[in-house]
Amino acid sequence: MAKTIGILTGGGDVPGLNLAIKAVVLGALEEGYHVYGIRRGWGGLLNYDIDEPSTHDKYIKKLDFDTVRTIDRTGGTFLHTSRTNPQRVSKDTIPDFLENSLNGKQIDDKGTMDYSNHVLEVLSKIGIDSLITIGGDDTLSFSARLHKEGFPVVGIPKTMDNDVFGTDYCIGFSTAVTRSVNLITDMRTSVGSHERIGIVELFGRNSGETSLITAMLAHVDRAIISEVPFNMEKLAIFLIEDQRKNSSNYAIMTVSEGATAEGGEIIESGNADAFGHRKLGGVGQMISSEMKRITGTNTMYQRLGYVIRSGPADSLDRMVGTAFGSMAINMLKKGESGKLTAVQGGIYTTVPLESVISGKRYADIDSYYDKENYKPKVKTFIGHPIFLS
């Protein structure tokens, strides 16, 4: 009997997801496997009602050659996504049909529930033998949970922050940097015309790699990253000096959205999601306001958010997405599970899936960052990976 594989994408979308999905499906079909796409990430399995047939068509999609033939031509994920954590479902987001389910376990005094057993029952009901999950450390953390429960899972890392522990590279990082560099290059037109200081805020909760690598490739004046708290007065002096030295009388800097000023806290807003994260953003606006207060200088603040994760993947993310998808299906073909596709030292490899919950990944500030002057610093490229990660 042919095996049946499920595939899902969770968390934020990035360019390259559809490449990985296509590689999985084509590789599986060659082996005679059946493949189901699970829509809306873990949310598709959480909201699947075994007693309501209509939820099957809503959340489960049979994948074949025609289904995936053209999906690599666009960005995002054609399976859609969500930030759902089945092992931590808040009281106000519990599906009605699960209210009194024996598959739920209350885990705190706020009524938060763990529905891991429901997910396992749904997978059994559908007839899915194994899963390939594509996501960041949040999505992959629940993948590790299912593996611990004995269900075969292979993970594929993706995130623009490039911060999944266990791999040097995640799908989406190259395209995010490429888009950021291009947009900053374009932004110089306005910043220079108005003789201002440009402040560009980029993604990066724990890792400042997006800000750091973008700053280096776009040749901006200063880069603030998540790993190193900055002194606002010191930064202001640097930027004024940078502006003075520039014959066009402007300066430009990048900042990670998770960066903090010395003695300050990370700037967040809104309610926490299913993984305990509140929405980041606003540190660039704070720097802009402080620059005006300290120096009287006009600034131009630009937050590069969803625009750098939209559209098709660049060549590197096409390559890595395709490679990771192929690696994942080959592992399942060999009966291997509980692993994460990875790149280490520029070489494709695999690591235990539990790696994603064993630590946090940060930029290598000792090798690539000047903490005193808030600048990218690479003393030598010899011996370092191509993406300095």
Side-chain angles (χ1 to χ4, degrees), residues 13-83:
D13 64 292
V14 299
L17 293 175
N18 285 337
L19 274 298
I21 295 169
K22 184 172 183 176
V24 167
V25 173
L26 296 184
L29 293 176
E30 285 184 1
E31 298 298 322
Y33 296 163
H34 299 302
V35 188
Y36 284 112
I38 298 164
R39 298 183 65 252
R40 302 182 186 176
W42 294 122
L45 295 176
L46 177 67
N47 290 281
Y48 187 105
D49 185 350
I50 292 174
D51 297 321
E52 178 48 64
S54 65
T55 60
H56 182 97
D57 293 334
K58 184 175 182 179
Y59 295 113
I60 307 298
K61 184 179 183 67
K62 184 73 178 290
L63 303 181
D64 55 25
F65 176 80
D66 286 336
T67 310
V68 301
R69 184 176 64 85
T70 62
I71 64 172
D72 56 310
R73 302 173 193 177
T74 58
T77 166
F78 95 114
L79 290 177
H80 306 287
T81 186
S82 69
R83 298 186 185 277

Side-chain angles (χ1 to χ4, degrees), residues 71-118:
I71 64 172
D72 56 310
R73 302 173 193 177
T74 58
T77 166
F78 95 114
L79 290 177
H80 306 287
T81 186
S82 69
R83 298 186 185 277
T84 303
N85 183 0
Q87 62 184 335
R88 193 170 186 82
V89 183
S90 61
K91 187 175 182 179
D92 59 340
T93 61
I94 296 172
D96 291 341
F97 71 91
L98 286 178
E99 284 285 355
N100 299 306
S101 172
L102 296 178
N103 282 328
K105 178 183 178 182
Q106 187 168 332
I107 59 175
D108 62 24
D109 57 6
K110 297 179 181 179
T112 307
M113 301 293 291
D114 179 351
Y115 285 109
S116 299
N117 287 337
H118 169 70

Side-chain angles (χ1 to χ4, degrees), residues 239-296:
L239 289 171
I240 290 298
E241 183 65 12
D242 295 332
Q243 182 182 30
R244 185 188 66 78
K245 290 179 179 179
N246 188 334
S247 60
S248 294
N249 196 36
Y250 79 92
I252 196 162
M253 62 163 284
T254 62
V255 57
S256 302
E257 62 181 357
T260 57
E262 291 178 351
E265 296 182 351
I266 193 169
I267 298 178
E268 300 176 293
S269 61
N271 297 322
D273 63 18
F275 295 93
H277 302 314
R278 296 174 64 204
K279 190 174 183 62
L280 287 179
V283 63
Q285 182 67 68
M286 182 273 286
I287 292 173
S288 179
S289 298
E290 287 296 288
M291 282 296 300
K292 180 70 174 179
R293 180 185 67 81
I294 295 170
T295 69

Side-chain angles (χ1 to χ4, degrees), residues 66-177:
D66 286 336
T67 310
V68 301
R69 184 176 64 85
T70 62
I71 64 172
D72 56 310
R73 302 173 193 177
T74 58
T77 166
F78 95 114
L79 290 177
H80 306 287
T81 186
S82 69
R83 298 186 185 277
T84 303
N85 183 0
Q87 62 184 335
R88 193 170 186 82
V89 183
S90 61
K91 187 175 182 179
D92 59 340
T93 61
I94 296 172
D96 291 341
F97 71 91
L98 286 178
E99 284 285 355
N100 299 306
S101 172
L102 296 178
N103 282 328
K105 178 183 178 182
Q106 187 168 332
I107 59 175
D108 62 24
D109 57 6
K110 297 179 181 179
T112 307
M113 301 293 291
D114 179 351
Y115 285 109
S116 299
N117 287 337
H118 169 70
V119 169
L120 290 168
E121 184 178 13
V122 168
L123 291 169
S124 176
K125 176 69 175 180
I126 298 170
I128 291 177
D129 305 301
S130 55
L131 274 178
I132 293 175
T133 60
I134 311 175
D137 52 4
D138 290 335
T139 297
L140 296 172
S141 67
F142 187 66
S143 303
R145 166 67 183 277
L146 290 188
H147 168 66
K148 185 178 179 180
E149 296 290 340
F151 193 87
V153 185
V154 168
I156 295 177
K158 69 85 205 166
T159 170
M160 291 177 302
D161 298 349
N162 206 38
D163 63 352
V164 172
F165 197 76
T167 180
D168 295 342
Y169 190 83
C170 303
I171 298 172
F173 180 61
S174 176
T175 308
V177 170

Side-chain angles (χ1 to χ4, degrees), residues 160-161 173 176-184 199-216 218 220 222-226 253-259 280-284 301-308:
M160 291 177 302
D161 298 349
F173 180 61
V177 170
T178 298
R179 297 256 165 76
S180 298
V181 170
N182 290 341
L183 289 166
I184 288 171
I199 300 164
V200 180
E201 184 176 332
L202 299 167
F203 286 108
R205 178 177 292 273
N206 301 306
S207 172
E209 279 198 15
T210 307
S211 174
L212 180 61
I213 301 301
T214 296
M216 183 181 74
V220 305
R222 307 289 162 171
I224 300 299
I225 62 176
S226 307
M253 62 163 284
T254 62
V255 57
S256 302
E257 62 181 357
L280 287 179
V283 63
Y301 165 59
Q302 183 66 56
R303 184 178 176 189
L304 299 183
Y306 296 108
V307 67
I308 67 172

